[in-house]
Amino acid sequence: MSDTNKDALPITVRNVTKTYGNVYALDDVSLDVKSGEFLTLLGPSGSGKTTLLMVLAGFTRPDCGSLKFGDEEMIRKPPHLRDVGMVFQNYALFPHMTVEGNVGYPLRLRGVSKQDVATRVERALDTVQLGGYGGRRITELSGGQKQRVALARSIVFEPRILLMDEPLSALDKKLRDRMQIELRHLHEQLGMTTVYVTHDQREALTMSDRVAVVNHGRIMQLAGPQELYDRPENKFVADFIGDSNFLSVTREGGTLTAGGVKLRTSCNVPEGDSLALMLRPERIHLLEDAADDETNVFDATVTEVVYQGESFLLYAKLSDGSEVAVRGAIRADTFAGLPRAGAPVRLGLAAADTVLIADREG
Ligand code: ADP
């Protein structure tokens, strides 16, 4: 379909605020979505993701701020003139219509000829791998198929921008995992600027070019998946994405101490007095031999070991009383060889795996 697709457009959001009573659903949000990019808004429930998506779609008018698609100001434009495709969690299909009837609906609304509707519906259904399903009734479809129909309907008029609000959250996990990859491929194929909403951090990391982490109506960090995971800029992002341990850090001159250990770090040290060391459980390892010069070594006592199938979680108390979790892969019968509660362990953390962040709530 990309041969006939219009050019994708960048989205520019500037200083957008939306309040409901004294709740700031969006608090002075500015955001640039690049042309053709897959950008995800990720955040907990109530953080403002849907409100921002509805501002983009034109269903919510912000109190102030500007929104541009390309060079064109959109704030006053009604939804049907914005040329955006939308997919919702609950499909929003017409149950009494056939698949063809649903997918062709936006085209008929735009006065496209009957012949063209048929061709374009067929092409859209092929794109979402539902070729030949045009005559089926919506009630005869599975959840995954319904979501594909909703997708086909959102791309059939070749919008310049595609907006998706938790489109996969009604599907079971296996199907959701598969659809994430399919949506990613579809995006590569169609190349339209896409803004995707989810509260599921793994989904966001799987699918996106970049992720905007949202909390209390503000963007806490905007970065690629790997940067977000490895270099979170604040405690909220570090806590929300992946599992993390935090140790408070004391700074005396140029020396940083955490968990009773003088820290070796290759991470940028943020300004300010209050610092935390973030440790990802899977980056900490149980040391058996002497450590090299680039590894921080924490002496600890095991408090609990948990079997989780593909991996184990080991909780340990450090010499200063703080507790950390360590995750490791289980191969063959390595689980049986792990130290048990009460045993001393040495935990290693490479200087390159240390992440220091300002220790205040974002
Ligand atoms: P999310 O999509 O991240 O779950 P929302 O954008 O739906 O969050 O909501 C952000 C905040 O704005 C929440 O506190 C929510 O209760 C409030 N809110 C959203 N829509 C309305 C509305 N129509 N009326 C009143 N409050 C609303």
Side-chain angles (χ1 to χ4, degrees):
M1 210 182 266
S2 50
D3 54 331
T4 54
N5 200 4
K6 290 161 269 182
D7 289 335
L9 276 180
I11 301 172
T12 311
V13 179
R14 283 292 172 272
N15 308 106
V16 164
T17 293
K18 175 70 189 172
T19 52
Y20 292 104
N22 41 20
V23 173
Y24 276 77
L26 297 174
D27 186 0
D28 196 27
V29 169
S30 294
L31 172 71
D32 289 287
V33 189
K34 296 176 196 161
S35 176
E37 180 174 38
F38 194 120
L39 184 136
T40 295
L41 304 174
L42 169 71
S45 176
S47 57
K49 308 178 296 291
T50 298
T51 304
L52 182 51
L53 204 74
M54 290 299 141
V55 167
L56 300 182
F59 295 114
T60 297
R61 179 88 172 263
D63 305 343
C64 58
S66 146
L67 165 69
K68 284 184 176 168
F69 293 170
D71 295 329
E72 196 181 350
E73 179 60 52
M74 286 286 152
I75 284 289
R76 286 188 175 71
K77 235 180 198 192
H80 67 280
L81 296 179
R82 292 195 181 193
D83 198 14
V84 298
M86 284 217 67
V87 187
F88 302 95
Q89 172 186 348
N90 59 5
Y91 320 127
L93 298 172
F94 302 113
H96 58 280
M97 283 189 197
T98 60
V99 168
E100 192 283 334
N102 271 278
V103 177
Y105 184 77
L107 297 176
R108 285 192 289 275
L109 213 59
R110 287 167 170 77
V112 174
S113 75
K114 223 173 169 180
Q115 182 55 44
D116 270 2
V117 170
T119 318
R120 289 167 72 173
V121 165
E122 208 177 299
R123 198 162 54 187
L125 286 175
D126 281 343
T127 307
V128 299
Q129 292 163 30
L130 279 183
Y133 278 69
R136 293 273 186 104
R137 307 203 75 75
I138 295 301
T139 47
E140 295 167 350
L141 302 178
S142 70
Q145 288 169 332
K146 282 183 196 160
Q147 196 51 283
R148 276 171 221 246
V149 174
L151 248 178
R153 187 181 58 181
S154 73
I155 59 173
V156 74
F157 58 98
E158 293 157 20
R160 298 172 300 176
I161 289 169
L162 185 59
L163 305 176
M164 295 195 257
D165 193 356
E166 305 252 4
L168 306 182
S169 54
L171 307 178
D172 66 51
K173 185 178 177 315
K174 273 207 170 124
L175 186 57
R176 203 161 66 223
D177 288 349
R178 212 174 68 220
M179 288 289 288
Q180 286 170 3
I181 307 288
E182 276 186 28
L183 276 182
R184 183 71 233 178
H185 288 163
L186 191 70
H187 174 257
E188 280 160 17
Q189 189 187 339
L190 301 177
M192 52 186 87
T193 309
T194 301
V195 181
Y196 188 96
V197 163
T198 184
H199 63 273
D200 179 340
Q201 45 108 5
R202 191 174 290 277
E203 184 164 294
L205 298 183
T206 303
M207 302 184 70
S208 323
D209 294 319
R210 288 191 303 161
V211 180
V213 182
V214 184
N215 192 32
H216 295 314
R218 281 177 290 146
I219 294 178
M220 307 303 294
Q221 189 172 355
L222 171 62
Q226 208 173 336
E227 192 183 339
L228 268 189
Y229 190 82
D230 287 340
R231 297 281 167 237
E233 281 172 2
N234 50 64
K235 210 163 178 183
F236 179 81
V237 173
D239 210 14
F240 193 71
I241 296 188
D243 295 329
S244 33
N245 302 291
F246 294 101
L247 298 179
S248 57
V249 176
T250 52
R251 182 184 342 222
E252 274 180 46
T255 306
L256 303 173
T257 309
V261 168
K262 190 177 149 199
L263 269 187
R264 299 174 167 116
T265 180
S266 53
C267 155
N268 286 334
V269 182
E271 297 293 314
D273 292 336
S274 200
L275 280 181
L277 170 68
M278 184 198 77
L279 312 93
R280 295 290 189 197
E282 77 281 4
R283 302 275 168 95
I284 308 173
H285 45 275
L286 301 175
L287 277 177
E288 277 156 25
D289 308 315
D292 59 42
D293 285 350
E294 289 303 304
T295 299
N296 296 289
V297 181
F298 299 91
D299 286 310
T301 306
V302 178
T303 53
E304 190 151 1
V305 185
V306 184
Y307 178 80
Q308 293 193 324
E310 84 291 354
S311 61
F312 66 83
L313 258 186
L314 181 148
Y315 295 93
K317 201 165 244 186
L318 305 186
S319 57
D320 71 345
S322 45
E323 192 162 74
V324 296
V326 182
R327 182 181 290 286
I330 296 176
R331 282 175 229 93
D333 53 1
T334 50
F335 187 72
L338 288 176
R340 298 286 133 178
V345 277
R346 293 165 71 225
L347 307 178
L349 178 73
D353 285 330
T354 55
V355 178
L356 291 162
I357 46 184
D359 188 13
R360 54 183 141 72
E361 289 303 320

